[in-house]
Amino acid sequence: MFPPFLLLLATAALGREHLEEAKGQLKVETVSWQGKRLQTSLQILPEDEDTPHVTRDEAASPMGRSLRERTSKLEALWDRPAYRMRRFNLTAEPGEHPCWAGFKSMMRDTDRCKGWQRSYVPKGQKQSFYNTGASRSSNFTLEDVVADQINVWLEENSTDVHRDVAVKAAEIYTNALGAVELKPTEDTASWMEQECKVMGQMPFMYSCSNKINVLVQKCGFDNAFVMSNDYLVNYPAPVNNKSEPNNDIIFYLCTEMVDGNPNPYALANTFAHELAHVIQGGFGHSSGVMMEGGATWLEGNLLNLAPRPMIFAWGFRDWNRINAAHIYAETKQTNARKFYQIHAMLLTYLSQDELLGDQGSSALQNYETFNQDITPFGRRTYDYFLQFVGKDRPKSFAPRVLEVNSVEHPFGEVLLNFRVALASQCIVDPSKRPSDPRYLMPENLRDRPFWDCTSFPTFSPEVGSASHEGMNLHYGGAAMYRLALPRDATIRMDPKADWQVRTKVLAAGTGSGPAEVRELRPGDEVTFRGDREIFVVQVNVDPEGETLSREDKGNVWHQVDCEWLKPGCVGKAWTVNRNGFYPSLAAEGLRSPMMKLPKEAKNISLSFQAWWRLEAVEKGFISKTAHGCELDGWDGVQVRVHIYSDPNADHHAHGDQVIVLEPHGGYDNRTDDAVAAFGNSGISAPYSNSYRSDCKSKEGWTGSSGENFTLQQFSLQKYAGQHARIEVVFASDAGTVMSGFWMKDFQIQGDDKVLFNRSEELYGSAFVYSVQAGTTGSAGVPVVVQYPDGYEADVGLQKRSVTRKGSWSATWTPGDLRHALLGWSYEAPVVDTKTFKLQPNQEACLQLQAPFRGVPKLATLWTLVDKVGIRSVTLQGREKSTNAALGAALTSPSPGVTDPGVHRFQLREWPVLEAGTLFFFCVSTGDVKQLLTDSSASKAFLHLPLTNVAAASQDEAGWMILREDGKEIPAEELQNLWLEHRITLRVEFLEVPQSRRLRGSISQFI
């Protein structure tokens, strides 16, 4: 583990994740039927972990000081690339690639790189790099320089396939061949160009280079990644001629990833995602959830590609549980690590011109710093930027105060409207959707639902009423309910519903009226006239949901009988041990009451008996803090004194002076050794800058004291005559927890008289800390949100288990026709998923069964977005016995180099099916067209995710068959591929009464 003031972990929640669940690799098995046999490939993806980001302080540099004098905070927030250009005195020259805009002027007109520019060996020559996956030095050959932008290096023993796929992916990313399909916009030539136009340049001002380097290497695992410390190794200074070859802009590509999926388009998309992280790293760091969301937004909508679908990567069993999860959850256990997709789609929603636009959304996700104590997190970022949704950008900078008493806050409003926009995608008829852009996704996605609309709890029209106690929603989590075409429906909120849950009801338009969106608070009700689709949308927007107060933190210190620790021990002891261990990620002081130390007294001292067992640094591990202090422990306890000018200061207030006291003989007989957890910003907040960098401020006990209590003594003589409080500080990090610290016989004396020994009057004081809004970090970027007194950000997600719910009910005129959902939503084990690559001459058929007399109305097919050569997808109904067509074959377009990820088919001209009738829906590829950038070895395919459900027989719904050239492939040759897997297809089925003709009976539903 790493000290928090030395290395900034992705988030504190990451540390907790290690305690919550076992490590697990993701196994993705992809199968296809080729050459008369079943072919299988297996990808083993490691646990996603963010590389620790090195945090350094630039405040002492003249550049940082002059920067604040020369540039505006507003530009630093809303146009970070331009701000950085001014910061380094750079000028973009005509024709300069957006990724390197300003590089020429930096080399020519500034001394930033001291005249040194990184050079590379000629093509075909070797150079040694450090293989970060396998942790070894190795020789790499420069195989190609693509578009004069990307060096492709191959490690020894790589194959021609590794080379060809890596080079082809680089050609796709740079659009080296000028393919029209690879131009994100009319005026942007490539994915790479668009990425840098919107997000900013590559961080060449730290690398002194103008090339991206792709290192194709054998890692021992399946992944691709970048490391910001490569180019920030000398931050705030750039690398130099003494730096290692890896201290450059490097994209590490594992050969195992190419082996598992040799599709160059998928790999090029990974280029875009990881190089977005490179751009982000040049601006600093924010929470892992926000950075991954930004990179995932970039790889999809910003490049005019399909968004990463929810069914990508880690499997899950319940769409509604994922929807209700904490908005910042990032574990397999809590939300199957779907934070990538959810936050990317939030940015996609915001990027509409009517809301924040591309540039505004980019500014939001580029809000990053190099300083740990002001690292952007949640509403600490969102509430500032989102207050300008639908408005012009501000003309001057003014920080925003965080609202903790009302649900009317910018983040809550956007989260709720975003979920309404997702529900609007479920309305098939565009004319019946809302017209307000707050309730719509971008136009190219409005017919491609991101969420599975059939997964919502759904109430059919014939039942006439509905009620729901409300789902348990974690902070930022949502629930969506569907009322399927009720007539004259009234929706009511329970007066006792949690007020922290906001509810909006979306009613689709009718032939005579537009769509409506109405908000309901507890006790409210609303009626919608006519037959219309209705969605009840709820979000937990608890204004204190991502904050911590002292009350939230609770008490770490508490008093118990010391016999609990040592049999025979007499009296009470204060301890941080609960249930055998101290808590992780904890920091609390145990304080004495205010007292005035006698001015004339001599030999004023503090003493107590102590025993401890705390996590120390392992023997042989050598590390230093940013200020050069030797690191001795991870968790620890120290004693300090607060000196006050005001004798009536609040009992949690810091003193005018705060000094760490040193016991006689020192802490563990050590000299100026540091405990990592004392880097906690709340602990060091009252220190001056000079004392904060003094190793003495981070001294304390760590490790083990031995078997027995030991006497600890401190001199207080120099504070005679002053008002003071003594504070015993405990702090722990996110890792190992042990037996803790125990203290008894607390006593202050002077002139051999007891001044204080009432240990029961000691009290806990949790550290609650937030930086003053307007404070600028080392790069001049200001803190934009002010937390109220007594509140701080819940970075560790301490409240992640807290849920809220809002119960509601509805009534309507019962309908005559029943409604049913056939097929299966996506389900798969979290770490074991299966997919199928469908070839152009094949069709995969899923057998369904009519639940009553009726017809299918709407079919939705889910796909993965990576594909080759497919231009459309076809859905055809078929009879079970004869294979004859049922209804017309329907086609859904699949333009561009990625598939949209979801295809929705409106079904018409179907014969009525009697109850119990078995029939097939068959999926096949439509038009096939190779692209200029397709490799000669590429074979066209459509990629289908397989849902994991119970086995079915030939006479049951769920039976699957695969046909090639019209002939069924025997199940035994497919090695029981379909035994517990289906294509992911959902069909809405409507009843047709005996007394009505087909068209007349269901016309209102189509």
Side-chain angles (χ1 to χ4, degrees):
M1 70 186 62
F2 300 93
F5 54 96
L6 179 67
L7 295 179
L8 175 64
L9 298 178
T11 63
L14 184 63
R16 286 182 177 251
E17 177 182 340
H18 295 171
L19 300 177
E20 287 174 352
E21 54 184 302
K23 291 279 190 177
Q25 295 180 319
L26 170 62
K27 183 177 75 171
V28 181
E29 183 180 358
T30 300
V31 295
S32 60
W33 179 261
Q34 295 184 51
K36 306 300 182 183
R37 65 188 181 91
L38 193 70
Q39 297 188 359
T40 301
S41 65
L42 187 65
Q43 285 183 276
I44 304 293
L45 294 126
E47 184 78 28
D48 284 336
E49 290 183 3
D50 296 318
T51 302
H53 180 89
V54 177
T55 304
R56 302 177 179 86
D57 190 0
E58 190 184 354
S61 72
M63 180 188 303
R65 199 174 307 112
S66 62
L67 168 65
R68 290 189 286 274
E69 298 168 356
R70 295 188 296 109
T71 59
S72 72
K73 295 177 179 178
L74 196 66
E75 186 183 41
L77 295 171
W78 290 97
D79 195 349
R80 189 74 181 274
Y83 170 81
R84 187 172 61 182
M85 291 280 281
R86 291 212 300 135
R87 174 187 176 196
F88 289 103
N89 297 314
L90 307 180
T91 303
E93 298 192 0
E96 208 168 14
H97 193 286
C99 288
W100 314 109
F103 179 80
K104 292 180 180 178
S105 74
M106 180 184 74
M107 299 304 301
R108 183 185 63 237
D109 303 329
T110 78
D111 65 349
R112 175 69 181 165
C113 294
K114 310 299 183 185
W116 177 81
Q117 178 180 343
R118 186 176 290 282
S119 60
Y120 305 96
V121 300
K123 183 178 174 179
Q125 297 298 306
K126 296 181 185 297
Q127 181 169 319
S128 177
F129 287 93
Y130 190 73
N131 178 329
T132 53
S135 300
R136 64 167 183 261
S137 293
S138 188
N139 287 325
F140 288 75
T141 301
L142 181 57
E143 292 287 342
D144 207 344
V145 181
V146 177
D148 199 33
Q149 310 289 344
I150 299 180
N151 295 331
V152 179
W153 303 83
L154 255 69
E155 189 179 26
E156 293 176 327
N157 300 319
S158 299
T159 67
D160 289 343
V161 172
H162 298 147
R163 177 196 181 280
D164 293 346
V165 173
V167 170
K168 181 62 68 175
E171 290 176 344
I172 293 169
Y173 179 62
T174 60
N175 199 8
L177 302 181
V180 174
E181 295 89 347
L182 296 177
K183 295 181 177 180
T185 67
E186 291 183 0
D187 61 349
T188 304
S190 67
W191 297 358
M192 180 178 175
E193 183 178 322
Q194 175 74 350
E195 186 164 16
C196 294
K197 273 186 175 181
V198 176
M199 295 185 70
Q201 309 98 316
M202 295 290 165
F204 57 78
M205 61 290 303
Y206 299 108
S207 68
C208 295
S209 64
N210 62 347
K211 293 286 190 297
I212 296 167
N213 296 273
V214 178
L215 265 58
V216 182
Q217 59 184 27
K218 186 174 181 61
C219 300
F221 53 84
D222 185 337
N223 208 348
F225 54 94
V226 297
M227 300 175 66
S228 61
N229 196 42
D230 283 343
Y231 48 88
L232 295 177
V233 64
N234 292 337
Y235 180 89
V239 302
N240 54 48
N241 59 357
K242 296 181 180 179
S243 300
E244 297 295 331
N246 288 66
N247 297 143
D248 201 351
I249 298 174
I250 294 184
F251 169 50
Y252 299 97
L253 173 60
C254 300
T255 56
E256 293 88 345
M257 185 174 188
V258 178
D259 294 336
N261 184 11
N263 179 0
Y265 294 104
L267 182 55
N269 204 240
T270 302
F271 270 50
H273 182 102
E274 295 302 327
L275 290 170
H277 284 320
V278 170
I279 296 173
Q280 290 172 333
F283 292 128
H285 195 77
S286 66
S287 74
V289 167
M290 298 173 77
M291 293 188 76
E292 288 294 354
T296 308
W297 168 60
L298 177 279
E299 75 176 39
N301 193 65
L302 199 59
L303 299 184
N304 198 27
L305 301 175
R308 182 186 293 195
M310 289 290 291
I311 54 180
F312 174 81
W314 306 93
F316 59 93
R317 291 289 187 186
D318 185 351
W319 286 80
N320 293 304
R321 186 181 69 83
I322 301 298
N323 206 12
H326 197 293
I327 190 66
Y328 306 131
E330 54 178 318
T331 69
K332 302 189 299 293
Q333 182 185 46
T334 52
N335 71 346
R337 299 185 64 81
K338 298 304 174 185
F339 65 93
Y340 289 82
Q341 291 96 314
I342 293 171
H343 285 263
M345 283 307 287
L346 176 60
L347 286 169
T348 297
Y349 162 77
L350 290 169
S351 66
Q352 297 175 89
D353 290 340
E354 300 88 346
L355 301 181
L356 274 183
D358 282 346
Q359 295 298 331
S361 300
S362 181
L364 186 158
Q365 70 88 39
N366 270 345
Y367 178 62
E368 297 166 338
T369 74
F370 291 101
N371 299 74
Q372 177 188 343
D373 58 347
I374 60 173
T375 299
F377 173 80
R379 288 179 62 194
R380 196 155 65 190
T381 300
Y382 286 131
D383 270 17
Y384 172 78
F385 286 95
L386 299 185
Q387 67 181 316
F388 300 106
V389 167
K391 303 176 184 178
D392 293 334
R393 292 185 187 178
K395 303 299 183 184
S396 61
F397 170 67
R400 184 179 180 92
V401 176
L402 192 83
E403 175 59 65
V404 293
N405 296 311
S406 168
V407 293
E408 299 285 347
H409 54 84
F411 189 44
E413 181 71 19
V414 165
L415 281 182
L416 182 56
N417 292 343
F418 165 57
R419 303 291 183 165
V420 174
L422 293 181
S424 294
Q425 292 179 299
C426 300
I427 300 173
V428 179
D429 186 343
S431 69
K432 296 182 178 180
R433 296 176 192 144
S435 58
D436 188 332
R438 292 179 302 162
Y439 304 130
L440 292 169
M441 295 302 290
E443 188 171 0
N444 64 313
L445 298 177
R446 291 173 191 172
D447 290 317
R448 309 283 188 178
F450 177 67
W451 215 262
D452 181 357
C453 304
T454 69
S455 69
F456 307 152
T458 300
F459 302 89
S460 297
E462 75 276 6
V463 298
S465 65
S467 65
H468 203 290
E469 67 177 359
M471 295 184 193
N472 290 317
L473 306 181
H474 298 266
Y475 172 70
M480 292 183 266
Y481 309 88
R482 179 188 176 197
L483 308 183
L485 283 167
R487 175 173 297 173
D488 299 336
T490 297
I491 293 89
R492 303 175 183 85
M493 286 300 300
D494 187 335
K496 297 181 180 180
D498 286 340
W499 64 271
Q500 298 93 337
V501 174
R502 286 182 64 178
T503 302
K504 285 191 176 182
V505 182
L506 164 64
T510 65
S512 59
E516 299 177 68
V517 178
R518 298 280 296 276
E519 180 160 6
L520 299 182
R521 298 295 172 87
D524 289 350
E525 68 175 56
V526 63
T527 298
F528 299 101
R529 297 299 177 188
D531 299 322
R532 52 209 303 190
E533 286 277 349
I534 293 177
F535 298 88
V536 178
V537 181
Q538 298 185 319
V539 179
N540 175 355
V541 297
D542 185 350
E544 295 189 61
E546 58 173 271
T547 66
L548 289 177
S549 64
R550 286 191 177 86
E551 291 72 22
D552 292 326
K553 289 191 169 186
N555 291 323
V556 177
W557 287 101
H558 63 120
Q559 203 171 20
V560 298
D561 291 328
C562 72
E563 191 175 20
W564 191 91
L565 176 69
K566 295 287 183 183
C569 183
V570 178
K572 296 282 188 178
W574 284 93
T575 182
V576 295
N577 182 305
R578 291 184 183 270
N579 301 317
F581 302 95
Y582 57 80
S584 62
L585 287 172
E588 186 179 66
L590 181 66
R591 292 188 168 196
S592 70
M594 181 80 76
M595 65 183 69
K596 185 173 182 179
L597 300 175
K599 187 174 183 179
E600 304 301 330
K602 304 297 182 182
N603 300 319
I604 304 175
S605 64
L606 163 70
S607 64
F608 53 77
Q609 298 280 341
W611 180 95
W612 63 89
R613 187 163 294 159
L614 304 159
E615 187 190 13
V617 170
E618 294 180 7
K619 188 175 182 180
F621 184 95
I622 301 174
S623 184
K624 293 185 177 182
T625 71
H627 302 294
C629 309
E630 293 287 345
L631 197 62
D632 193 60
W634 303 115
D635 308 332
V637 171
Q638 65 179 197
V639 181
R640 59 186 191 175
V641 62
H642 293 250
I643 303 300
Y644 298 86
S645 59
D646 178 8
N648 298 312
D650 181 86
H651 62 295
H652 292 298
H654 292 304
D656 303 300
Q657 296 181 64
V658 183
I659 304 101
V660 175
L661 298 174
E662 185 170 332
H664 296 332
Y667 288 102
D668 303 335
N669 296 312
R670 294 178 289 108
T671 302
D672 295 349
D673 283 355
V675 173
F678 293 147
N680 180 292
S681 297
I683 295 174
S684 60
Y687 299 154
S688 65
N689 286 335
S690 59
Y691 191 60
R692 190 176 292 114
S693 61
D694 189 331
C695 298
K696 290 185 180 298
S697 71
K698 297 180 179 66
E699 287 187 303
W701 291 296
T702 190
S704 177
S705 62
E707 292 299 317
N708 300 309
F709 279 90
T710 59
L711 178 65
Q712 304 296 328
Q713 295 177 303
F714 304 78
S715 174
L716 301 177
Q717 188 60 44
K718 67 170 63 176
Y719 309 111
Q722 301 189 67
H723 291 90
R725 287 190 180 113
I726 304 301
E727 183 177 44
V728 184
V729 177
F730 164 77
S732 64
D733 66 6
T736 303
V737 293
M738 306 178 80
S739 301
F741 190 88
W742 297 68
M743 180 186 73
K744 68 188 190 74
D745 302 336
F746 185 96
Q747 179 174 281
I748 298 173
Q749 61 182 22
D751 288 334
D752 296 325
K753 296 180 181 179
V754 174
L755 303 177
F756 177 84
N757 65 355
R758 300 181 301 278
S759 63
E760 68 277 4
E761 295 182 15
L762 302 179
Y763 62 93
S765 181
F767 296 104
V768 178
Y769 173 76
S770 60
V771 178
Q772 183 73 25
T775 302
T776 55
S778 62
V781 180
V783 175
V784 293
V785 171
Q786 179 64 56
Y787 279 68
D789 289 342
Y791 287 89
E792 68 179 25
D794 183 14
V795 177
L797 303 192
Q798 183 173 316
K799 290 184 176 179
R800 65 188 178 277
S801 62
V802 176
T803 60
R804 311 284 183 189
K805 61 183 179 181
S807 56
W808 61 274
S809 61
T811 55
W812 60 87
T813 302
D816 298 326
L817 304 179
R818 286 177 286 177
H819 169 283
L821 293 169
L822 311 184
W824 287 266
S825 290
Y826 180 76
E827 290 186 47
V830 174
V831 296
D832 189 1
T833 66
K834 184 171 286 191
T835 69
F836 183 78
K837 290 186 175 180
L838 190 69
Q839 312 296 320
N841 57 337
Q842 299 170 351
E843 65 174 4
C845 300
L846 172 64
Q847 184 167 268
L848 300 175
Q849 185 172 37
F852 39 73
R853 187 176 191 270
V855 292
K857 164 198 171 185
L858 183 73
T860 305
L861 172 73
W862 281 267
T863 65
L864 292 164
V865 297
D866 64 308
K867 66 171 186 179
V868 171
I870 305 301
R871 290 291 165 269
S872 62
V873 178
T874 299
L875 184 71
Q876 174 69 69
R878 294 192 182 280
E879 290 185 351
K880 174 180 172 58
S881 57
T882 66
N883 199 34
L886 289 172
L890 300 175
T891 299
S892 174
S894 178
V897 299
T898 59
D899 190 75
V902 62
H903 297 269
R904 191 158 55 185
F905 303 88
Q906 295 188 59
L907 307 171
R908 294 185 174 90
E909 301 178 7
W910 266 68
V912 176
L913 302 176
E914 298 299 330
T917 301
L918 292 168
F919 62 98
F920 283 107
F921 267 117
C922 297
V923 176
S924 61
T925 62
D927 300 330
V928 177
K929 177 185 176 183
Q930 298 294 112
L931 293 180
L932 182 65
T933 45
D934 288 346
S935 68
S936 58
S938 297
K939 293 184 178 180
F941 69 87
L942 177 69
H943 206 171
L944 301 175
L946 300 184
T947 189
N948 175 225
V949 293
S953 70
Q954 297 185 43
D955 296 321
E956 294 179 302
W959 179 253
M960 283 286 306
I961 61 173
L962 177 70
R963 293 192 181 93
E964 184 173 69
D965 297 324
K967 297 181 180 179
E968 182 176 341
I969 308 299
E972 58 272 16
E973 293 188 30
L974 292 172
Q975 300 175 20
N976 293 318
L977 167 66
W978 307 122
L979 184 63
E980 293 184 344
H981 291 88
R982 318 278 182 273
I983 58 174
T984 308
L985 179 74
R986 284 287 254 174
V987 177
E988 297 196 32
F989 195 87
L990 292 179
E991 184 178 19
V992 176
Q994 292 282 356
S995 59
R996 299 184 184 180
R997 293 184 304 133
L998 172 62
R999 298 291 295 178
S1001 65
I1002 66 165
S1003 60
Q1004 63 174 318
F1005 296 99
I1006 297 177

